[in-house]
Amino acid sequence: DQGQWSASFTRAEIPADTAAATVTATTSDAAGNVSTVTGQIAVDTVVQNLGVTQATPAGTSVINGTAAQSGMVIRGTTEPGSKSVEVTLDGKMVPATINADGTWSAPFSAANMPTGEKPVTLSVRATDKHGNVDTVSQQVQVDTFVNRLDNSAGSIEGDNVVNRLEASDGVRLTGKVEAGSRVNLVFEGATYAATVSADGTWAATIPAANIRSGDYTATVLVQATDAAGNHAEITRWRRQRSLEV
């Protein structure tokens, strides 16, 4: 017998978090002598400072079409000295680069970016230098396209031909677009802002003074930008015949 001893502690008896725990051992020998020793042991059962600091492109709160096409970097923090950080966005995992101060970055290429209009899950799994593992998750909104843009009439002035009488009070176009969007018409190098209602109905008029006379074919470009910064456009052709009455 070498006088060795051991004591087992349950999980519930071990301090959580990170701390210096005091250990006291008291022994009594056969003669009744008592001795006590005290020491400190380090306890580390958690990954400290794990979080996400940037889940969408800077200055935005959504992953839009530009980010989906070019890719983006997701950034965050973890305990300095951590062994690994794995970042998963909508099921696609990218290992992060960890800096000495615990900040990390995970570059997502266009091939790993989500698309559509939906919330997706972003999760971060970190392993610290003592082998502790922790995960944080959050929802990120994705909106990568203008989900509607059309010209209600389908054609300009009913037949895509504008005669002198029709041009005399301007040409009005209407349509529907994703609610919250901005709409512009581009005609003959000039841009006209449309009014957009809360339900996405838009309307804009090309003034009569800006419709030159003659017999020619021109293009009307309808451009939309939604609240997420996505762009869409449709083209309408029309023939101008100023000699018709």
Side-chain angles (χ1 to χ4, degrees), residues 216-235:
Y216 59 94
T217 299
T219 300
V220 179
L221 187 63
V222 184
Q223 299 176 324
T225 303
D226 69 10
N230 301 306
H231 304 284
E233 60 183 42
I234 54 176
T235 300

Side-chain angles (χ1 to χ4, degrees), residues 87-104:
V87 184
T88 302
L89 179 64
D90 197 29
K92 303 289 183 66
M93 192 280 288
V94 171
T97 298
I98 308 170
N99 301 315
D101 63 355
T103 58
W104 55 261

Side-chain angles (χ1 to χ4, degrees), residues 5 9 21-25 37-41:
W5 59 268
F9 292 86
T22 300
V23 178
T24 301
V37 294
T38 300
Q40 297 282 315
I41 61 171

